[in-house]
Amino acid sequence: MPIATVNPANGETLRTYEAMGEEELERRLQLAEATFRTYRTTTYPERARLLNRAADLLDEDQQEIGRVMTTEMGKPVKQARAEAAKCARAMRWYAEHAAELLADEEPSAADVKDSGAARALVRYRPLGPVLAVMPWNFPLWQVVRFAAPALMAGNVGLLKHASNVPQTALYLEDLFHRAGFTEGCFQTLLVGSAAIDDILRDERVRAATLTGSEPAGRAVASTAGEMVKKTVLELGGSDPYVVMPSADVDRAAQVAVTARVQNNGQSCIAAKRFIVHTDVYDAFTERFVAGMAALKVGDPLAEETEVGPLASEQGRSDLEELVDDARRSGAAVLCGGERPDGPGWYYPPTVISGITREMRIHREEAFGPVATLYRVADLDEAVLVANDSPFGLSSNVWTRDEAEVDRFVRDLEAGGVYVNGMTASHPGFPFGGVKRSGYGRELSGHGIREFCNITTVWHGA
């Protein structure tokens, strides 16, 4: 895949970039290793000052970088600006909390005594250069939620971004440099996917994090395992959105529309499978389908647009194949489901009912504004259908019954359970999944500790 900005609203190639050669890549790896030796000795206040400065610059650049993201991958420009603002808030959150999250820990006095120590502690130390393989769908946020904690922990970052968002990738490198981080603290590697394996095998790279597809995650995990290097993987998702009889159905249907089409439906944590109790199925379906059909699809740079184009022609083709397979197998298309005429990689908000286990869309992630509806008879069936997926990223549950809440929290196979609301990431909460959605956690204290050497320090009597 070429490294290029191709406007998904019209298919026009705006800028192309040459991949870095071996000499430049080697220079950057050497620089990362050398920079880490000194950067790791900086203090938390020093790092916080730099990260807060990066946040200030990002706020100043919000309009400009918002348009860049929209032009590169098609999200509505208002959502792009909101993404930039969210990144700035996350930077400030880690600047404020990192010292506390990584403070030395003291074992219990009984354990210290029993070990024969005069004193002991647990210290969090940085690992070194970390390779981040990042996707195009949230081209700022996915990177910042890695970079902010990694830099505050004393690591340095090497970014291999998706090849269709090179301008955003280069902007991030420039942002951290303008903030005062030395050149080797955060570097963008303009290379193709084929280069990832060799980079990960390099002894100077100590760990890797990947957000992306399941095949990409398998490849990185395989190489990292062979090299005995730590990885964090955030892969696909097909999140359930369960609506029970006690729910506020009007509110659940309204939020369901946003939960499905955020980021043009191209979000791992977007709700995708809508599992509705039979007692409220008809009422929910009527409101949900009406809300999806009413969305304004159009130019993502227009302020009034709610759904823009998909990021690539291949992405639209993949989505169409899932919808067409379901239709051939007997599913009913309640709205959308047809590619519009005209330029750009647009696909309408679509709702499908009558899903069976034999349909591809039941097992595969629909990465675009397509929702599947399931009618269930009771709570047991709702849990069964929700868990009948290879993925387990997050989940959404609508009920006012606390006993039902307890059951869903106990039994849903997911990294998060959001009750009477939609899944959203926040720097204060751990983020990640189970099953084929990956392993490890990003954000919160759990995320910042993923790439630390957790060191026992023991002093004899």
Side-chain angles (χ1 to χ4, degrees):
M1 182 177 181
I3 301 174
T5 296
V6 181
N7 188 343
N10 55 28
E12 179 184 355
T13 300
L14 302 178
R15 295 189 67 174
T16 58
Y17 296 82
E18 291 292 328
M20 289 177 178
E22 290 184 9
E23 184 176 328
E24 176 61 11
L25 185 56
E26 172 61 22
R27 185 189 74 82
R28 287 175 175 254
L29 289 171
Q30 288 182 9
L31 182 60
E33 182 184 41
T35 300
F36 173 66
R37 293 195 198 107
T38 55
Y39 182 69
R40 66 188 298 274
T41 66
T42 58
T43 65
Y44 290 118
E46 289 177 277
R47 299 170 197 168
R49 177 181 59 81
L50 297 172
L51 197 58
N52 278 321
R53 177 57 180 155
D56 292 342
L57 291 171
L58 183 53
D59 278 338
E60 293 172 11
D61 295 344
Q62 188 182 117
Q63 296 287 337
E64 177 187 350
I65 190 56
R67 289 183 66 85
V68 168
M69 284 191 285
T70 294
T71 302
E72 289 202 304
M73 54 69 60
K75 72 173 71 214
V77 71
K78 288 199 294 187
Q79 294 181 28
R81 292 196 299 266
E83 180 176 337
K86 181 177 183 176
C87 289
R89 290 194 297 272
M91 289 177 180
R92 294 188 178 101
W93 191 90
Y94 271 108
E96 178 182 353
H97 294 286
E100 175 188 355
L101 295 172
L102 298 179
D104 290 349
E105 297 176 4
E106 295 186 2
S108 70
D111 285 337
V112 172
K113 181 180 179 181
D114 187 58
S115 75
R119 57 191 177 94
L121 59 87
V122 176
R123 177 162 293 174
Y124 294 95
R125 297 188 293 160
L127 287 180
V130 180
L131 173 65
V133 182
M134 292 289 111
W136 47 262
N137 57 333
F138 292 94
L140 274 187
W141 173 241
Q142 304 281 13
V143 178
V144 166
R145 74 185 192 189
F146 144 73
L151 289 169
M152 283 305 302
N155 295 303
V156 301
L158 295 163
L159 170 65
K160 191 297 180 204
H161 217 326
S163 294
N164 61 331
V165 290
Q167 292 186 66
T168 306
L170 292 170
Y171 167 81
L172 282 158
E173 179 181 82
D174 181 63
L175 173 69
F176 287 114
H177 293 175
R178 284 188 289 139
F181 288 96
T182 56
E183 182 186 358
C185 283
F186 186 93
Q187 300 179 84
T188 288
L189 308 180
L190 281 186
V191 296
S193 297
I196 295 173
D197 191 74
D198 284 343
I199 295 170
L200 188 51
R201 290 180 184 278
D202 193 292
E203 291 185 358
R204 291 165 293 194
V205 175
R206 301 299 178 86
T209 179
L210 177 141
T211 299
S213 70
E214 192 179 331
R218 285 200 200 99
V220 165
S222 177
T223 299
E226 183 181 341
M227 302 302 295
V228 196
K229 294 182 179 181
K230 176 70 178 289
T231 54
V232 170
L233 302 182
E234 193 265 279
L235 308 178
S238 190
D239 290 3
Y241 189 102
V242 182
V243 183
M244 299 298 287
S246 65
D248 180 340
V249 175
D250 286 338
R251 179 64 179 158
Q254 179 185 15
V255 174
V257 174
T258 302
R260 184 62 201 96
V261 303
Q262 59 174 322
N263 207 49
N264 301 341
Q266 299 167 122
S267 171
C268 296
I269 58 169
K272 299 183 176 76
R273 297 177 297 129
F274 295 82
I275 301 163
V276 187
H277 192 284
T278 188
D279 290 354
V280 291
Y281 180 89
D282 291 340
F284 175 87
T285 298
E286 178 184 1
R287 291 160 175 77
F288 180 48
V289 172
M292 291 283 281
L295 291 165
K296 182 170 180 55
V297 181
D299 179 3
L301 288 173
E303 293 292 329
E304 66 273 14
T305 293
E306 295 170 295
V307 180
L310 299 186
S312 69
E313 188 171 17
Q314 184 62 54
R316 180 172 68 173
S317 296
D318 292 344
L319 193 66
E320 282 181 309
E321 288 179 10
L322 290 180
V323 173
D324 291 344
D325 172 78
R327 188 170 8 217
R328 287 192 301 269
S329 300
V333 178
L334 305 184
C335 68
E338 297 292 340
R339 176 194 292 204
D341 295 330
W345 300 315
Y346 290 91
Y347 197 81
T350 299
V351 181
I352 308 175
S353 66
I355 306 300
T356 64
R357 299 186 81 250
E358 293 72 31
M359 297 173 185
R360 287 178 55 199
I361 202 167
H362 177 73
R363 305 293 294 173
E364 299 178 32
E365 180 179 19
F367 216 58
V370 174
T372 52
L373 272 171
Y374 298 78
R375 184 196 293 265
V376 295
D378 52 30
L379 185 150
D380 288 338
E381 188 179 6
V383 171
L384 186 67
V385 174
N387 287 340
D388 188 24
S389 169
F391 301 106
L393 192 53
S394 190
S395 61
N396 311 261
V397 174
W398 288 76
T399 176
R400 294 189 178 105
D401 186 323
E402 285 303 316
E404 289 181 347
V405 171
D406 290 343
R407 174 74 185 280
F408 284 121
V409 171
R410 186 191 74 182
D411 290 349
L412 288 180
E413 298 168 352
V417 180
Y418 284 70
V419 181
N420 297 327
M422 59 178 272
T423 298
S425 53
H426 182 281
F429 305 143
F431 181 87
V434 295
K435 300 195 287 189
R436 293 188 187 175
S437 289
Y439 53 74
R441 290 296 180 265
E442 298 177 290
L443 303 175
S444 77
H446 297 277
I448 198 172
R449 297 184 194 110
E450 286 281 9
F451 296 117
C452 286
N453 175 0
I454 305 173
T455 308
T456 297
V457 182
W458 186 94
H459 295 264

